[in-house]
Every structure is written in C-alpha cells, then in structure tokens.
Amino acid sequence: MVDSLITKVLKYNPGADVELIKSAYDFAYRCHTDQFRLSGEQYILHPLGVAEILAGLELDTPTIIAGLLHDVVEDSATTTAEIAKEFGDEVAALVDGVTKISRLKYKKTEEDQVKSIRKMLVAMAKDIRVILIKLADRLHNMRTLSHLSTEKQLIKAQETLDVYAPLAHRLGMYQVKDELEDLAFLTIHPKQYAEMVHLVAQRAEERQVYLQGVMDDLKGHLKKARVKAEIGGRAKHYYSIYRKMARDHLEFDKIYDLIAVRIIVSSIKDCYSVLGIIHSVYKPIPGRFKDYIAMPKFNMYQSLHTVVVGPGGKHLEVQIRTDAMHRTAEYGIAAHWRYKEGEKGRDEFEERLAWLRQMLEWQSDVKDPKEFMETLRIDLLENEVYVFTPKGQVLSFPKGSTPLDFAYTVHTDVGNTCVGARVNGRIVPLSYEMESGDTIDIITSKSSTGPSRDWFNLVKTSRAKNKIKQFFARVEKQENLEVGREAFQKAVRKQGLAGKSVTQELLSEVAHDANFDDVDDLMLNIGNGAASAQQIVNRLMHKISGESPEADTAKETPEAVEAAAKAREKRARAGNSGIIVEGLDDVLIRLSRCCNPVPPDEIVGFITRGRGVSVHRADCPNVTDLRNEPDRFMKVRWASRTATAFPVEVKVEALDRTKLLRDITNVLAEYNINIMSASVAVNRSNQTTTKLIFEIGNLGLLNDVLVNLRKIDGVFDAYRVLPS
C-alpha cells in the first residue's frame, strides 16, 4: 500500500529517503494493527491517506513521515520519545504538535473554542508544518465523513468552515481550501449544495463551448506575438458560487466568473506582454484590473487579474501568471517550503509568516470570546488592500480599513494621538477606506485628548479595536469607580440605611455574594451599568435583617389562568369547522395550532376544560403526551364534501435576492390562496426562511403549491411545518 506514496514523493523529490518512509509506514502499521475505522477499513488507511495528501503538496520527507505517524501517540501506547529515537527529533516534534492539536476538541461554547484555537495558532507559530499535517488530516477525514453520526458530521463540518478552511485560505492553499469548503457545504447544507450542482450542470456544456472558443482565439493571438503560453480554464467551486450569490444577492445567471481563463507563461515580462495583448483584443472593464504580481496577497499569491468584455458581450475573467506563481496559487505556503530554499528563501519565508505572529500578539489582548471569533474571522478571511508608508514600506489591511487602522499598526501612541491623515498627499477624513496603492501619512498632535468613541465604528482591524478599548478602559476606570460609589451612596441614603450599618466588611460580603472580586470591582460594575445600585442595597438590607434575598413571587390561581385562557380563545363552532364529533351536536371545536390539521390528515379529538374539543393530527406529539387520559378522547372526522379552508404553516428556504417574496406570493395568488400571515428571516449567510400561514382546503392542493414553490429560482426547499 505504501508504494503509491513512494511513487508520489520520488516524482518531486528524487533524493528522498525512501527506506525511512517505508520504515515509518511499517511502524504506523504495527501501532494501528488492531484498529479499524467506523467504515470497517483498517485504520492504517487514514494516516496513509494523510501522507499522500502531503505528498501531493510536495512537502519534505520529515513532514511525510510525521503524516504517517500523526496518530500513533494519540491512539496507541507509543511515546514521542520512541518516535524521536526511531525517526529523529524533528519528526517527533511535528507528531507532538499535531497530537496536541488533535486533543483540542471543538466545543459548542465560544469560550472553549477560543482556548482551542489559540493553542492551535501557537503550535502553528512554532512550526507551520504542524498545521499543514493537520489540514491534510482534516481533509482526509472530511472525505470519509459519511460513517459518523449526523450530529458529529455537522460538528466537524462547521469546525472545518469556521477554522480549517480559513487557515488554508490564509496559507494560500486554495486547492485544500476549496475542497474543504465544498465537503463542509455538502454536509451542512445538502439541499443548497444540490441546488448549486444542478444550476452548474444545467449550463455546463454551453459554458464549455464558449470557453473553448475564447481559448482558441487567445492561442492564435499569442502565437502571432510569439509568446509561449499554456491556456486553461478554472471552474469556481460550489461553495464559492453559493457564497457569492448570498453575499451579493445575485441570481445564478448574474455570476460572470464561474469559469476564468488562466494563462501560464515563463516570465514576469511575458505576464505583462500577455496582458497588453488581451486588452488589445477584448475591451477591459474599468476598475476590474488587479496587479498581484507587484503587490502580492498576504498569502503569497501572485497573478495578474483582469475582466474583459469577451465574445457575445459576456464578461470574462482572465488570470495571468508564471509557472512558479501557479504553484504558489495551488499549494500556497507549502510551495515555498524551506527544505528547497537557500538563506534568502528562509528569510523571505519567515517574513511571510510575520502575519501569524502579529495576529497572535494582537489577539492575545482579546478576552471576550465573541469578539475573538469575530476578529479571527476578519484576520483570516477578509480581502486585503495594500498601502505604502511614507518611506515606501508595504502594509496589508482587511478591505474597508481606514487611516486609523494604519496609525495603530505603526504604533499605539500614533493611533491615540492621531488627528488627521493624508492619502497620496491629500487630507482625507478618518472614515476614508484605504485602497491598494495609497500612500498613507498620519498627522498626530501632542495635545490630542485621545481616541473618540466613534472610532470603534471606523476601524476594521482587531489591533486598532483592542488599543482603543484599552485606552478607554484605563481612562474610564477611575471615572466609573466614582460614578459607582456615588450611585451606591445615593441608593443607601434613599433606603434610609444608617452609615454605621453599612460596614466595609458587610459590603465586601455582599460583593462576593454577587460574584464580584471585591468592593472596587462592585463599584466599577455599578458605574458602567453592569450592576444595579438598588439591587446591591436590597442585598445589604437582607444581610442586615437576616432575611432571604429571594423576592416573593405571586402565583396565579387555576381559576384565573383558565379565565384568561377563555378570554384569549377565539371559539369556532362545529358548523364552521368542517369537523364532525361523533355523538355530540353544537359542541365547541378548536383546530389545534400546534399541528394545524388539514383534510385528509388523520385526526383525533380531545376534550379540554372549558374550551370544547381540541382537534389534533393523530401523529401530533402533544397527543402522545395526553394518552394517559383516554376518557377525554373523542372520535372526530372530517365532514364530507366540505368547502371549509384550513390554516397551514409552510416554510420556504431560499437564497436571499430581490423580488423573492414577490415570486413566492405570485405562486400562491395563482391558486387564489388567502395568506393569513407571512414573515421573512435572513441569516448571516443571506439565506432566507419565509414563514407563511395560509388557508387551504386539502392536501392535494397543498402538494401542488409546494411543488411550484420549489421551482422558484434560488429556492432550496418548501415544506409544510409539522410538529416534532
């Protein structure tokens, strides 16, 4: 089984120590000999799969060996000392790093997530190969995810989208990132994934014919110019299409870069020559040219990007790069691994990793878990702009950053004393969003009183937010102490407590009872509004009197509860309900709102106190709860040939876009359906859930309605809501 791995390694590294790799495989095989995966396969197939992914990234021999051994310490009695003895300290350190990350479990609480992710970032900073192995491990696990329980699949997929795919993106490993995102997308949103596959497949042949025509045309022009080039296409992956539709509220037909033309040449000079040829053949679209060769992305990505008007007036994206740039675009940081670089290469490598250490430094100041996760998302995922200092140094920032972000990156004092900024020699407001190529010059003043609270809304980077917050924390601490003490004394006087009664010792007891560190901490929290002075005084009064601090709660009588329920209930008579209760006439009948039964649903009746007969679907969970009172059940049936309309609840899940609600209501209008209520909720992924309650006479008609709702562009699913 190890032969295919050896073949892959020798293709890019003929000098690899093949015997040591074979020895590592044998070692791993012995350690995992009695272990099997949930699929029933031998466990050794997993570390072998991880090692083959690492070989696909063309990594060095110690990394390949560590990939084979990455689970032996976790899953067997083997120690890192034994690994060091057999394969050296370097391999042992890599395995130890991966083992520590593997022991970090993805928790549901944000606080636990933050602890785990921070430890993982520290492991990365020590040796980036640790996270490369972990990414390969996660990729192989995602490929074989189907054998886990549904709950575990969802947890792993969400963790992949939240942490591992963004890390692969930050490291420039687009091949790994794209596959991780698509696999997670398939697991978390199978309906949306299927919709994307369907939309792409519908137009695949048409796009391929168009792309081939463009490539043939470009080959002819490049041949005339005597430029040797390799021309191909790059298809957008499914999650990327979904995210773009969601983010920009676009319909599928409005996405023009589903396939981009990629041109690979031998030199940087040829890159710009090809760009000139393309712009002479096709009209470039203003503002859509990006030079990532002169100013590479944060993850080392280099290429020229331009969008032109291609044949038929269609927008066409073209990417131009050298073969070396293409390797970096595919493999990211793995393509620059130090084992094949000299001193200059190592220095450049360390410089490229500076973002990681800087991110660790900035985020070590963030205490709030929600804030940490948000700043991590910004640091890992946001598009970047590249600006110059007055001395010509290039700095990168998340898109949307302002001169204030620049100022705090230079130095905290520069940020705190900033009073203005010049961009390209022109004074701009502090709300100005920096653009790539800008030269930023910060204006400071020693007489500045410090940052404004409004700056929180202007800055984008976690460093700037943290430094502004720290400034106000220092300035406001004394102020909050004074405000808190004053509010507390005012509440004490209002209650008429004698000063002698409120001793420091008693106050300290109350502070600890209320979960504050000490009296000063209590006063700080009163001052900043996190604690109520009146509630603290109430606690004091209970302490002094020896009473329980729990407030008495008034309880409603059963009679009052039933009277209120009767007042709220809108009664429906049997003549209007379309339901017959066997053996009873003129009885009050109520269709239960928990399940909204509709003909020909199987139904049961339940006698309620003071509200007649409540009618449920036979499979309603609430009916199961009532089975211990069989004497209160009544036989009920639908009246034959009734024209009565019944309320049903339907949910429509779709990608948010303009005129979506109009299209949904148009379908209902075609069936002359009366909508009783409608509400729309949009989540952070711009996915909408439209909740509709409307009247309908039978299930056959409802099924027709649902089929037509699902045909609406961008709709993933439409279904009747039933109790669960």
Side-chain angles (χ1 to χ4, degrees):
M1 287 193 288
V2 76
D3 291 342
S4 62
L5 172 62
I6 298 296
T7 302
K8 283 185 178 180
V9 173
L10 290 177
K11 273 186 180 179
Y12 68 88
N13 187 10
D17 190 338
V18 172
E19 292 306 316
L20 195 62
I21 295 174
K22 287 181 178 179
S23 177
Y25 171 79
D26 292 337
F27 189 94
Y29 187 88
R30 290 194 301 273
C31 290
H32 298 300
T33 188
D34 296 325
Q35 296 172 7
F36 296 88
R37 307 197 81 199
L38 291 176
S39 62
E41 296 175 322
Q42 286 182 300
Y43 193 86
I44 189 62
L45 292 176
H46 170 62
L48 183 60
V50 171
E52 289 192 350
I53 291 171
L54 295 169
L57 296 170
E58 301 188 359
L59 285 162
D60 59 332
T61 303
T63 309
I64 302 296
I65 292 172
L68 287 167
L69 303 174
H70 77 276
D71 273 340
V72 297
V73 174
E74 180 77 11
D75 296 338
S76 74
T78 307
T79 64
T80 51
E82 290 176 90
I83 293 175
K85 183 179 179 181
E86 290 283 337
F87 303 102
D89 292 338
E90 185 178 10
V91 170
L94 290 173
V95 172
D96 185 52
V98 178
T99 302
K100 286 175 178 174
I101 292 178
S102 299
R103 287 172 178 164
L104 302 176
K105 302 301 180 185
Y106 186 75
K107 305 291 186 179
K108 291 185 178 180
T109 63
E110 285 183 315
E111 187 174 356
D112 288 331
Q113 286 179 34
V114 167
K115 290 177 183 176
S116 297
I117 293 169
R118 276 191 167 128
K119 289 177 182 176
M120 185 167 64
L121 293 176
V122 170
M124 283 173 59
K126 288 180 179 177
D127 193 327
I128 199 69
R129 290 176 295 178
V130 169
I131 203 62
L132 299 186
I133 298 168
K134 190 59 187 174
L135 284 171
D137 175 50
R138 177 48 57 102
L139 179 55
H140 191 264
N141 279 330
M142 289 299 294
R143 288 174 179 174
T144 56
L145 199 62
S146 60
H147 299 286
L148 295 180
S149 67
T150 302
E151 183 183 4
K152 287 184 178 179
Q153 285 185 43
L154 290 172
I155 290 172
K156 279 202 175 289
Q158 193 60 56
E159 181 186 21
T160 298
L161 273 187
D162 289 347
V163 180
Y164 288 99
L167 280 174
H169 169 72
R170 201 60 160 99
L171 297 171
M173 301 168 68
Y174 290 106
Q175 245 187 11
V176 174
K177 165 193 161 288
D178 290 353
E179 189 175 352
L180 284 174
E181 287 183 337
D182 275 352
L183 290 169
F185 181 35
L186 170 62
T187 303
I188 298 171
H189 300 298
K191 295 175 187 175
Q192 291 87 327
Y193 182 89
E195 177 75 5
M196 292 299 106
V197 173
H198 172 69
L199 290 172
V200 170
Q202 268 187 326
R203 300 163 179 83
E205 187 176 345
E206 177 189 335
R207 280 196 308 274
Q208 192 56 42
V209 171
Y210 179 81
L211 181 63
Q212 191 59 52
V214 170
M215 291 194 298
D216 291 343
D217 187 32
L218 286 174
K219 282 176 184 176
H221 286 287
L222 294 178
K223 189 175 181 180
K224 285 181 184 178
R226 296 182 179 179
V227 176
K228 290 183 179 181
E230 181 184 330
I231 303 179
R234 176 198 61 82
K236 222 173 179 63
H237 66 295
Y238 296 122
Y239 184 69
S240 178
I241 298 169
Y242 166 75
R243 192 168 51 196
K244 189 161 190 173
M245 290 175 68
R247 183 188 65 220
D248 300 333
H249 303 276
L250 293 174
E251 295 181 35
F252 184 77
D253 289 335
K254 299 297 182 184
I255 298 179
Y256 298 110
D257 60 345
L258 285 175
I259 294 183
V261 174
R262 178 178 293 149
I263 302 174
I264 300 174
V265 294
S266 59
S267 68
I268 293 177
K269 178 184 176 183
D270 284 347
C271 288
Y272 290 99
S273 297
V274 170
L275 178 69
I277 293 168
I278 290 169
H279 283 180
S280 68
V281 176
Y282 302 126
K283 184 178 179 181
I285 297 175
R288 299 297 300 275
F289 168 65
K290 295 174 182 176
D291 187 345
Y292 293 122
I293 293 178
M295 288 188 290
K297 285 188 177 183
F298 55 83
N299 53 22
M300 303 181 288
Y301 177 89
Q302 286 185 291
S303 187
L304 295 178
H305 287 199
T306 185
V307 180
V308 297
V309 180
K314 294 183 179 179
H315 290 195
L316 178 71
E317 183 182 11
V318 182
Q319 301 172 354
I320 310 162
R321 61 182 69 142
T322 67
D323 187 60
M325 293 173 190
H326 182 61
R327 282 181 50 77
T328 299
E330 292 294 300
Y331 304 128
I333 207 163
H336 285 254
W337 192 245
R338 66 184 72 185
Y339 83 93
K340 34 184 165 175
E341 303 280 357
E343 286 298 323
K344 182 181 177 183
R346 281 198 292 272
D347 291 343
E348 182 184 350
F349 184 88
E350 293 300 330
E351 186 179 332
R352 297 290 178 96
L353 279 182
W355 66 269
L356 174 59
R357 295 177 179 87
Q358 192 176 54
M359 185 168 68
L360 278 170
E361 177 194 338
W362 293 352
Q363 292 177 349
S364 63
D365 297 329
V366 182
K367 305 303 180 189
D368 180 59
K370 287 186 178 180
E371 186 181 348
F372 177 88
M373 294 301 288
E374 178 62 21
T375 56
L376 181 73
R377 185 189 66 80
I378 291 171
D379 286 336
L380 290 180
L381 283 178
E382 291 291 333
N383 291 328
E384 301 262 328
V385 295
Y386 303 88
V387 300
F388 294 96
T389 68
K391 293 182 178 180
Q393 181 186 358
V394 179
L395 298 177
S396 64
F397 293 89
K399 190 175 182 181
S401 296
T402 65
L404 286 171
D405 291 293
F406 181 96
Y408 278 104
T409 297
V410 174
H411 197 278
T412 303
D413 289 340
V414 174
N416 287 341
T417 59
C418 175
V419 293
R422 291 188 186 90
V423 175
N424 305 324
R426 179 173 55 90
I427 292 180
V428 297
L430 293 177
S431 59
Y432 170 83
E433 292 188 4
M434 299 185 294
E435 297 178 359
S436 289
D438 284 345
T439 299
I440 313 295
D441 188 11
I442 301 298
I443 304 169
T444 61
S445 171
K446 291 181 179 179
S447 60
S448 169
T449 56
S452 162
R453 290 186 183 277
D454 294 337
W455 288 10
F456 279 115
N457 300 320
L458 300 181
V459 296
K460 185 84 171 179
T461 60
S462 54
R463 177 181 174 84
K465 289 180 184 291
N466 293 337
K467 295 303 178 184
I468 294 169
K469 188 175 290 185
Q470 287 170 13
F471 176 88
F472 282 109
R474 289 193 303 270
V475 170
E476 292 176 355
K477 184 173 182 180
Q478 189 58 38
E479 182 180 328
N480 283 337
L481 267 173
E482 293 173 5
V483 170
R485 285 168 181 158
E486 185 178 336
F488 175 72
Q489 290 299 332
K490 185 177 180 181
V492 167
R493 289 194 297 271
K494 187 176 179 181
Q495 292 297 332
L497 291 176
K500 293 180 181 179
S501 301
V502 185
T503 63
Q504 192 69 14
E505 184 180 351
L506 187 60
L507 193 52
S508 182
E509 285 182 27
V510 170
H512 283 104
D513 289 347
N515 295 318
F516 294 105
D517 294 338
D518 50 36
V519 174
D520 280 351
D521 185 34
L522 171 61
M523 296 305 162
L524 273 172
N525 280 274
I526 293 175
N528 63 29
S532 163
Q534 187 57 54
Q535 287 178 356
I536 298 302
V537 170
N538 288 344
R539 282 179 174 271
L540 267 174
M541 292 173 66
H542 287 300
K543 276 276 183 187
I544 293 170
S545 64
E547 296 175 0
S548 168
E550 295 180 0
D552 293 329
T553 55
K555 296 182 180 179
E556 293 181 292
T557 64
E559 293 78 9
V561 172
E562 189 165 344
K566 286 181 181 179
R568 289 192 302 268
E569 186 67 44
K570 290 183 178 179
R571 298 186 173 185
R573 293 286 174 183
N576 298 324
S577 67
I579 291 175
I580 295 173
V581 180
E582 293 187 10
L584 291 177
D585 293 322
D586 194 29
V587 65
L588 189 66
I589 295 176
R590 182 175 65 92
L591 293 175
S592 176
R593 292 182 183 178
C594 62
C595 55
N596 286 327
V598 176
D601 287 340
E602 187 179 347
I603 53 177
V604 295
F606 185 79
I607 300 172
T608 60
R609 292 184 175 90
R611 289 181 288 170
V613 176
S614 174
V615 178
H616 295 259
R617 282 171 52 96
D619 58 358
C620 177
N622 290 334
V623 171
T624 304
D625 296 339
L626 300 171
R627 292 292 183 191
N628 58 350
E629 299 182 79
D631 295 341
R632 295 173 63 185
F633 278 93
M634 299 291 297
K635 287 187 178 181
V636 294
R637 59 183 172 84
W638 298 106
S640 60
R641 298 180 182 177
T642 179
T644 305
F646 300 91
V648 294
E649 182 179 340
V650 165
K651 284 188 179 179
V652 181
E653 295 176 356
L655 205 59
D656 190 28
R657 61 172 174 83
T658 56
K659 301 180 182 177
L660 174 64
L661 188 58
R662 181 205 65 181
D663 292 346
I664 292 172
T665 54
N666 281 349
V667 168
L668 300 180
E670 289 175 9
Y671 290 90
N672 295 316
I673 287 174
N674 176 41
I675 300 175
M676 301 169 67
S677 71
S679 62
V680 180
V682 184
N683 64 20
R684 290 180 64 180
S685 299
N686 280 325
Q687 180 181 321
T688 69
T689 300
T690 304
K691 176 182 173 182
L692 301 159
I693 297 178
F694 52 79
E695 294 179 325
I696 202 159
N698 62 74
L699 280 180
L701 182 61
L702 176 61
N703 290 334
D704 289 344
V705 171
L706 294 176
V707 168
N708 283 285
L709 285 173
R710 294 186 193 111
K711 291 179 181 178
I712 297 173
D713 190 26
V715 170
F716 305 129
D717 201 5
Y719 53 92
R720 180 185 176 189
V721 177
L722 297 174
S724 57

